[in-house]
Every structure is written in structure tokens, then in C-alpha cells.
Amino acid sequence: MSAPTRKRRWLTICAITASAALVAIPAGAAPGGNSSPFGARALAQLATERAQSVGAITPKAKAEDDGGGDDGNEADEIAEGADQYAEARTSPGIVAPGAYGAAWTSLTNLATTGGSWRNITDLPYNSDDARYRDYDSNSSGGSGNVTGRMAAMAADDDGYVYAGSAGGGVWRSRTGGGHWQPISDRLPAQSTGALALDGGGRLWLGTGEATTNADAYLGSGVYVLSDPHHGTFSTRSRVGGDELESTTIRQLRFGGGKVWAATSEGVWSHSTKKLSGSWKLEFAPNPDYLPGGSKASDASAAYKNITNDIAIDPKNPAKVVLAVGWRSGDDYNGFYTKGADGTWTRITSGFGDLPTDADNVGTVTFARSADGSRYYAIDESPAQMAANPDSGLAGIYSAGSPFGPWTKVADYQQLAADGSALTSSGYMPGVQSWYNQFLTVDPNDPQHVYAGLEEVHETKDGGATWSAVGPYWNFGFPCWSIDPTKQTGDCNQTTHPDQHGVAIGSYHGRSFVYVGNDGGVYKRPLHGRQDASGHATDWTSLNDGTIDTLQYYSVGVGKDLTYGGVSVTGGLQDNGQSILRSNDRVMGSNFGGDGGDTLTDPANGCNIAEEYVYLAIQVTQNCAVNDGSWVTDPSKITSYNVAPADNATGEARFIAPITADAKNSSTWIAGGRHIWVQTHGYAIRSGDEWTSVYDLGAGRTATAVAASGGKVYAAWCGPCNNQGFTRGISVGNAGGTSRTESGGGTGWHDIPLPATGTDGTVPNRYLSGFAVDPKNADHVYLAVNGFSRHWTEGPGAGIGHVFESTDGGASWKDVSKNLPDVPTNSAVVTPNGGLAVATDLGVVYRAPGRTTWQRVGNLPAVAVLQLKLSPDGRTLYAATHGRGIYTINVRDCH
């Protein structure tokens, strides 16, 4: 289903009470003909996620069909983005453990250029900025200040709070939240899976985010910090050996002098007293699929040993229940316990309401009260997710023992009726329960529980009644209005949607609950206030600008004609499009939802084209500044839907490439199945203004595009996963002259590439970016993602990450030399003729006339997805996927 179709489908089923009747909105300005009193982006975000959750998630990841584990992984990643992000790094096969660790070692051994990176997005980012209430903004939804996704939380009773981000490391606050500082920058993995404080006050970190189970988020093991109030993590603080390297870790639990880890490769344990020595594999349901096993190279191996949580009986730590299973379903899914003979066996009876059959046990989270008298569990059902368009939540359950019997205390209908913002068919509480889960119990009250799904829910009576204390947003509630003098009408601040982590701690004698979600960290008093609808009145955003874990896909830079200097914008995972004007002390959000690729006019930074997903492109010529008056006068809408036709047919990547001709900013190129060109620049007002100049072919989609002086380069893949992965390059001109099979002339043609990527030629891996020499359009560089054949088991993985052509792409030469074997994402030719390349672990640079590479500055081990130059070419901008946007002076890169 295409993105616009998803929008229309959602709009037909979503009933939002409008505060004012709207007149018809002009066709070009209103994607899908939305007549709701807020941006279509808000509705489309839900529709896209819903459409990619239902039907796309198969009940069994590879039990019955030949698609393998990838079929269970493709469209069910959050908004599909994580899966395609992983495809780029793993195709054409399976990546062996240790690849990122080896790459980090190689990178740190490179010589370093001069200069230092400067973070320019380390200031508050207000998703409700009143300046930007245009049609496609989510401003006024109520999330307030946001940052990137938080996967885990921990807190103590001394006011110390720890936040573990999806891609930007672990952060510490000494003041009950806020005034953050990073404490894991020296580690080779900045992806957090779990955080936990043990009884002695030590902070344990499990690296590798498990909410997506994508290879892009693999970790480097478990680390412990003995003095978390003052210390920082280092490689010397790793627990055990390398057994947990290249896994994801969803939970860390303590009992019987051991720490237990629920990982993507089974459940492991280690002594909490002696931190050296190997981890012990306690249980793996399919050990043949583990590294070194007979089926380790199978396409479904990554999904055959997924574990989710461990429940340990504090009265008898030898009694343990394991929650095991891939969220899309597999025969091994279920609950396991150790029998008298020491073997782990599946629990098949005595659990009461909590399902034990494989079809109805998916992602599971446990929690228990401090006194051990009550246990709680959230269960996502793969079968329900596949069949029920409303929710995949089997339920929330309670028991007096981890062995049951369990009683269901909530289902999605009950939660929807208790103040939820998600009450419409097709998107109700638990619709993303495979992605959104947390659970915690008040340490002083076994009946007081917080549960996180898309929203934050609270019960004070053990589950008899619930309140949506943190609704998805405030749109649709009677208290909401778009009034620019208010944050979110007369509603109270809520949290960002999509919950992942939770902790309870104290500061100055007051207890607080801290939640981590796709928008960062929020807190409220543990026993906070609620309004008549059950919504909390006392949430506080802790995203004060000192914590920057924003996950950028792109960056754009243009002159700020109003305030001088430059305006910087970029597309973000689930946090829209940020805009930073030269005089800003608070960064604003002018587009909502997911932000993808970005075009910004170098001559005027308020001319912006922003991609949502699947080439759903919006354009504005005033930075999307709007006071919301379009609600009653649609002629005042100043952002426009200009998506090319591949958006409607769904024939584009989730984050699809768009670019402007380096010599003519009015000529744009966009890539889906087709290569699209439009020549009206930022004055474009309709998707009909695009022209298809080349058809890549059925099943192929563009992965990168570049143009200079009318010459266009396009890279593509199809299939794009490890089931027959194929890549290619097509070259032509923006005028779209006819195809020539010979590869000569100026017509569009496919460049002949060896099918298996022999040494010295372009490998059969994901082609992620071009950099065209501004002095010669036939001189071009190619960035290649993934890992070499040393780490990747797949046909034609080859070697090399940067290739050069001096004949317009007809032939290519590997110029990687000493470049670490690490996925590369983007490249740019600097004014002096040097070449800067963005990798998954930072930025490297090759000086003009040199053949070897240097590391640029000392960024943490964070993925840099795009590089852009400032309008004057003096400053290099790096869009990181976890630590915001950084800049460095180009002249210092020598």
C-alpha cells in the first residue's frame, strides 16, 4: 500500500472532533484532502505505521515460507525504516559478529585531522514551537521539547537519572533529570539495549538496542560502572569476554548472585561478584543458528534465538521463567523454565490467562513489586498482530508468582476507553506492542503500576482501572486548539508517543517516574495529578538541550536572509524536521512525523523541500512559518505536497533519495522505481510537475542520486534484501533522452557491473551515495555500504567502500586503501579537492593528492548518514543518527 493510500485510508477511518468547521482546502496544499484541524502529517504518521504493522507481520518468521527471516522483518520494523537501514548494512548476506568492533579499532588507529567538531543542535528542540503551525506540522500536539529515542532508563534515590539512547550512548543527570552529560562516549557501541542498577548501586549497561532487532543496532556486550555518580564507562569495564558482542540486549535482571541477559542470541548469565570470565549460555531455543553453529549462515538465523525477559523468584532465585520468542512469531516462541533434570522446558499449562502457545507469545515484558508479592507482564500476540487491524496487544497480566496463575487485568479495548487518544479503528493501544513496551511497579505499593505502550498508562488498584496519563498526543481532545499563544490549547503537556524505558527514583525526597520514548525523557511525580479525563497534569520534559540524541537522516544548509548567517534543517526519525535559524536559542519543528531526505536552497534557507517517507515530499518557501490561521482560511497554508508518482504506487525506499543539480538548484532529481526530474525549484506546487526520465525497472528502487550540469547518476537495488540482492548504477541526463544499451552517449543507460563484484570492481553491496567533482561532472565518487567479504557471507560482497570514476561511471577504481571496513553512507568533494566520507562510526577524509585516509576529529562511535557543505564551502555539516548535527571547518581537515 502506497504512502498516500495509507493517508487516505486513515483519513476515512479517523474521526477527530474539529474545533472549527473548515472550508475546502486547495488540492495542491492538502495531501489526501484532509479536513482535520491539524496537519495531515500527524494522521499519515499513524496510517503509515498501522499499514506497515498489519499484514506485513507474518505469524511465523520463517516457519512456512521461503522468504525466511527477512519476511518476518521487512515491513514490521517501526515505519519500515529500521529494516531498510539494516538491509543496507547486511546485504547481500549475513554479517558475522565482531564487524563493528573491528571497524572501530581500525578507525581509532587512523591518523586524525586537525580541527574539532562542534555540536550545533545542543539546544532545546521544541516540537510545539508556535512559529511553525503550518499544515504539515505536528506543533501543538503537546510533546514539548524532544530529543532522540530513549531505549532504557535507570534512576536512584539520590537524584541521579540515567538515560540510554538508541544510538547516542548513555547520559547522566545529577539533578533528578536535566543538565545531562554523556558517560559512554569511549565505548565502541553507542546503542543501548538495557540499563539496570543492582543492589550495590552499580550501573549495568547492555549495549545493542533490541526494540528493532536490526543489525544496525548491534552492541559490544555488557558493561558495569561501579561509581555511576562520578565515573564513565570504558572498554575496561566490560563484563566477561566477547560472548555477547554483536548481539542486542533487551533486559538485564539480577538474582542469586548472577546477572541474567535476555539477548538476540539466547539467555546468558554471569556472576555479579567476579566480572571476569566468560558468560554462560543458559538457554538458546535453536542453538544451531548461533554463530559457529551449522545453520549460522541461514537467512533466518538472526531471528531464531530472540529472548525478551527473565522473571526470577526472589524467594528462590533458582526458580526462573524465560520469555522467549520473535515478535512476528515462530515455533519456538513461549515461556520456559528449568526442570529438575536441569534442562529448560516449555511451560504449557498452569499459567491461567497468560497465553503459552507459540502463536500468542511474542514480545514480553515482566515487572515485579519490591516485596515480591505481585508480578506483572505485557504480552504481544503475533497471531493477533497479523489478524487484528486494531491492536496486537494480548493483554497486561498480574500474578502472585512468575509461575502464575496469571490473570488478565487489561486489554486494548479497556485501555482505549480509559482516556486514550487512540480510539479509532485501525490504531488502538498496543497496535505497536511489538515495538513499544515498558512496565514498572511502585516500590512502595504493589498495586501501583505504570505500563508503556504507544502511551503511558497507570493503575493504582492492580489493574482494575487504568488511566492514560500520557496520551499519544492532545489532538482531538476538547481541550486542544491550534492557538499559537498556547503550547497545546488548554490541554496539559503530555509525553512523546512510543514508550520504551521507565524508572522510578527520588530527588530531594520526592519520588518521580521517568519514561523514555521516541522523543527522549519525561518525568512526573510518582503519585501525580490527573484531570477529569485521567490525563496527567504534571509531565515535565527533561530534554533541555544538554542531551542531544537526535537521529538525523539528512541535513540542509542555506543562507538566513532574515537574521544573517545560515539556517540549518534536517530530517529525523519520528521527530519531524528540525529548523535552526541563526538567531535561535530554541530549535523548532516545521514538519511532523518522520523526516527523511532534505533539500535546502543555499541562497535562501527558508526554501526547503522535506521528505516524509516514500518520496512524500513537502515544499515551503517561508520556512513553513505559520500561526495556524489556515484552520479557518486554508489559503494561508504555506507548505505543499509535491510527491512524484512513485509515492502513490509505493515504489520508493522508506528514506528515498532526492537532490538538486549542483549547477542549477532549480533542477531536482528524485529516485524511486523511476528517476524523476522537475525544473521549477522551490516554486513547485504539485506532484504533476515531475517528469519520469528513466524507469529503473520493476522491483528496483533508487538508493542514491546525484546531478551536476544536467548529468545524473542513480544507484539502485532490487531485490534489496539478502534474498537475491542485486545492485546497479544508471547514468543519463536531466533532459531524459532515450535509453541506449551500449552505455555510450548522453542517453540513459545501465552501467555494466560484474554480477558478483570481483576484486577491484564495485561490490555487490548497497550503493549509498555519490559525490560529483564540481569541476568535472564525469569525475565522481561512490560510497558503498555494508561490510566486505571478510565479514559478510553473501554472493559478491567483495571488498572496498569508496570507488572513483573519471569517465562518467563507465569504469570504477577502488580507492579505499586504509579506509576501515565499515559501512559508508555519504561523501562530498571539498572545495580544495579533498574527499570527506560519512561512515557508521564517524567521518574520514582524504586530502587532495593523497591516497590514504584520516579520521576527522573524535566523534563517538555514532553513524553519520549525510554530509553537506555550507553555502560558502567553508564548513562541513554532519548529520548523525544519534548525536545531532555537527560542524567542522573544512580548512582544518588536513
Side-chain angles (χ1 to χ4, degrees):
M1 188 184 297
S2 71
T5 302
R6 295 184 187 108
K7 294 177 184 178
R8 289 193 293 270
R9 179 172 180 265
W10 177 253
L11 291 169
T12 61
I13 62 176
C14 182
I16 301 290
T17 302
S19 60
L22 301 187
V23 298
I25 295 176
N34 178 26
S35 60
S36 299
F38 55 92
R41 183 63 50 86
L43 294 176
Q45 177 185 0
L46 293 182
T48 300
E49 291 170 354
R50 174 63 255 167
Q52 289 159 356
S53 295
V54 175
I57 298 184
T58 56
K60 299 197 181 295
K62 191 186 179 275
E64 288 95 12
D65 79 359
D66 295 332
D70 195 64
D71 280 343
N73 184 37
E74 271 184 350
D76 61 326
E77 298 295 355
I78 179 64
E80 200 170 316
D83 186 54
Q84 293 192 8
Y85 190 92
E87 286 176 358
R89 288 150 178 80
T90 59
S91 296
I94 302 296
V95 177
Y100 275 102
W104 178 247
T105 299
S106 296
L107 186 73
T108 55
N109 287 334
L110 288 181
T112 304
T113 68
S116 299
W117 290 102
R118 182 172 71 91
N119 184 354
I120 64 168
T121 52
D122 57 347
L123 73 171
Y125 174 32
N126 185 4
S127 68
D128 290 322
D129 194 318
R131 293 174 293 177
Y132 306 108
R133 297 203 168 169
D134 208 353
Y135 185 81
D136 288 303
S137 170
N138 284 353
S139 178
S140 76
S143 296
N145 290 344
V146 297
T147 191
R149 185 168 73 246
M150 292 298 158
M153 299 294 303
D156 64 21
D157 289 331
D158 296 318
Y160 286 79
V161 184
Y162 308 94
S165 67
V170 181
W171 298 69
R172 173 176 60 211
S173 169
R174 294 186 171 99
T175 57
H179 303 288
W180 302 92
Q181 64 178 136
I183 60 173
S184 65
D185 281 3
R186 291 185 290 166
L187 297 184
Q190 296 298 307
S191 174
T192 304
L195 284 176
L197 288 162
D198 66 16
R202 295 178 297 178
L203 180 65
W204 294 70
L205 162 64
T207 59
E209 187 196 17
T211 54
T212 57
N213 292 322
D215 286 345
Y217 304 101
L218 296 180
S220 55
V222 174
Y223 300 82
V224 64
L225 193 55
S226 59
D227 182 13
H229 286 189
H230 305 97
T232 59
F233 287 103
S234 72
T235 54
R236 294 189 303 274
S237 62
R238 188 166 77 171
V239 179
D242 60 1
E243 299 82 15
L244 302 188
E245 187 170 337
S246 298
T247 69
T248 63
I249 299 174
R250 191 172 184 274
Q251 294 286 2
L252 296 172
R253 303 293 189 184
F254 304 99
K258 294 192 294 186
V259 58
W260 295 68
T263 83
S264 55
E265 294 181 356
V267 174
W268 299 69
S269 71
H270 198 284
S271 169
T272 58
K273 298 176 182 178
K274 185 179 179 181
L275 302 182
S276 60
S278 300
W279 285 81
K280 176 186 177 183
L281 177 60
E282 293 281 356
F283 177 67
N286 296 292
D288 287 347
Y289 290 89
L290 294 176
S294 61
K295 298 182 179 180
S297 62
D298 190 281
S300 64
Y303 311 102
K304 286 297 186 179
N305 288 285
I306 302 293
T307 60
N308 294 298
D309 209 344
I310 306 108
I312 304 170
D313 188 340
K315 301 171 185 176
N316 183 358
K319 298 178 66 176
V320 178
V321 174
L322 309 180
V324 174
W326 169 232
R327 63 170 180 256
S328 296
D330 206 327
D331 290 337
Y332 72 88
N333 285 27
F335 298 98
Y336 294 77
T337 190
K338 186 177 288 188
D341 61 354
T343 61
W344 293 92
T345 58
R346 187 194 300 266
I347 296 172
T348 59
S349 62
F351 249 36
D353 294 341
L354 183 57
T356 57
D357 62 296
D359 287 341
N360 287 294
V361 179
T363 302
V364 172
T365 301
F366 290 125
R368 70 171 175 86
S369 61
D371 63 6
S373 66
R374 298 306 301 171
Y375 288 77
Y376 296 88
I378 297 176
D379 176 36
E380 168 259 332
S381 163
Q384 182 175 323
M385 178 64 75
N388 188 333
D390 296 333
S391 176
L393 178 67
I396 303 177
Y397 303 84
S398 175
S401 159
F403 293 87
W406 293 84
T407 300
K408 182 183 286 190
V409 295
D411 57 25
Y412 75 91
Q413 294 101 329
Q414 179 181 352
L415 296 177
D418 291 332
S420 171
L422 305 180
T423 59
S424 297
S425 176
Y427 208 96
M428 300 180 77
V431 70
Q432 290 180 183
S433 52
W434 46 270
Y435 173 66
N436 304 316
Q437 284 193 22
F438 74 55
L439 197 58
T440 193
V441 185
D442 184 337
N444 298 310
D445 183 358
Q447 303 297 309
H448 187 197
V449 180
Y450 280 88
L453 295 165
E454 298 76 28
E455 304 169 299
V456 181
H457 303 272
E458 180 185 19
T459 179
K460 298 179 180 179
D461 51 18
T465 60
W466 292 84
S467 299
V469 291
Y472 195 94
W473 51 29
N474 290 324
F475 295 133
F477 292 141
C479 55
W480 175 85
S481 77
I482 204 167
D483 184 348
T485 66
K486 300 178 179 180
Q487 177 189 355
T488 180
D490 293 325
C491 300
N492 292 292
Q493 161 103 47
T494 185
T495 70
H496 192 286
D498 298 337
Q499 313 302 319
H500 303 293
V502 65
I504 294 173
S506 298
Y507 182 56
H508 291 326
R510 296 185 65 199
S511 295
F512 295 91
V513 60
Y514 299 89
V515 301
N517 50 47
D518 274 13
V521 187
Y522 296 77
K523 77 172 182 181
R524 71 180 292 248
L526 181 60
H527 300 279
R529 300 183 305 275
Q530 300 177 12
D531 63 19
S533 299
H535 304 149
T537 64
D538 44 17
W539 285 110
T540 299
S541 169
L542 300 178
N543 309 305
D544 58 2
T546 63
I547 184 170
D548 184 0
T549 59
L550 291 168
Q551 296 172 284
Y552 280 95
Y553 290 111
S554 62
V555 59
V557 190
K559 293 180 180 179
D560 191 328
L561 302 183
T562 303
Y563 304 106
V566 295
S567 175
V568 182
T569 187
L572 291 149
Q573 187 274 328
D574 207 19
N575 281 301
Q577 185 90 356
S578 71
I579 181 166
L580 177 62
R581 308 292 296 275
S582 62
N583 69 329
D584 277 351
R585 295 185 178 181
V586 174
M587 189 162 58
S589 177
N590 53 0
F591 294 92
D594 280 279
D597 212 344
T598 301
L599 292 182
T600 304
D601 186 351
N604 182 353
C606 274
N607 288 338
I608 302 167
E610 182 265 355
E611 179 193 19
Y612 175 37
V613 291
Y614 304 105
L615 283 181
I617 300 171
Q618 317 291 326
V619 66
T620 181
Q621 290 188 279
N622 75 331
C623 286
V625 172
N626 201 300
D627 63 3
S629 58
W630 63 267
V631 168
T632 53
D633 183 359
S635 67
K636 294 185 178 180
I637 293 174
T638 56
S639 60
Y640 305 89
N641 174 15
V642 296
D646 282 349
N647 171 247
T649 60
E651 295 176 291
R653 300 285 289 172
F654 178 77
I655 303 297
I658 57 176
T659 193
D661 190 301
K663 301 297 185 182
N664 181 359
S665 62
S666 292
T667 297
W668 296 0
I669 295 86
R673 167 181 168 169
H674 302 82
I675 303 303
W676 299 92
V677 173
Q678 71 91 9
T679 58
H680 300 155
Y682 298 90
I684 184 174
R685 291 296 180 266
S686 168
D688 295 337
E689 297 173 52
W690 293 92
T691 298
S692 172
V693 296
Y694 189 58
D695 184 352
L696 295 173
R700 295 176 174 180
T701 52
T703 60
V705 293
S708 181
K711 181 154 191 171
V712 182
Y713 296 90
W716 51 265
C717 63
C720 296
N721 55 39
N722 58 15
Q723 305 299 306
F725 177 86
T726 305
R727 55 60 179 118
I729 298 173
S730 302
V731 178
N733 60 60
T737 53
S738 61
R739 173 177 180 163
T740 62
E741 299 294 344
S742 66
T746 59
W748 274 94
H749 56 278
D750 294 341
I751 299 294
L753 295 176
T756 57
T758 56
D759 288 1
T761 65
V762 177
N764 188 39
R765 303 201 308 268
Y766 189 94
L767 310 181
S768 52
F770 295 101
V772 183
D773 185 341
K775 299 177 182 179
N776 179 3
D778 285 331
H779 184 202
V780 60
Y781 296 93
L782 172 68
V784 181
N785 214 292
F787 289 92
S788 74
R789 64 167 181 247
H790 178 77
W791 298 104
T792 303
E793 296 183 22
I799 59 174
H801 288 275
V802 180
F803 292 78
E804 180 181 16
S805 173
T806 57
D807 54 12
S811 62
W812 296 88
K813 176 185 177 182
D814 184 2
V815 294
S816 304
K817 293 294 182 180
N818 65 325
L819 183 72
D821 187 2
V822 61
T824 62
N825 304 302
S826 172
V828 64
V829 177
T830 58
N832 65 351
L835 183 66
V837 173
T839 80
D840 269 8
L841 295 174
V843 180
V844 294
Y845 176 74
R846 193 186 72 171
R850 302 287 181 87
T851 60
T852 57
W853 298 86
Q854 296 174 281
R855 182 185 181 191
V856 180
N858 289 290
L859 288 174
V862 62
V864 180
L865 298 190
Q866 195 173 82
L867 297 173
K868 292 282 182 68
L869 290 168
S870 60
D872 62 10
R874 297 177 181 176
T875 305
L876 183 66
Y877 288 75
T880 78
H881 201 63
R883 290 296 284 266
I885 297 173
Y886 282 76
T887 67
I888 194 169
N889 290 329
V890 173
R891 65 175 180 271
D892 293 332
C893 297
H894 57 75

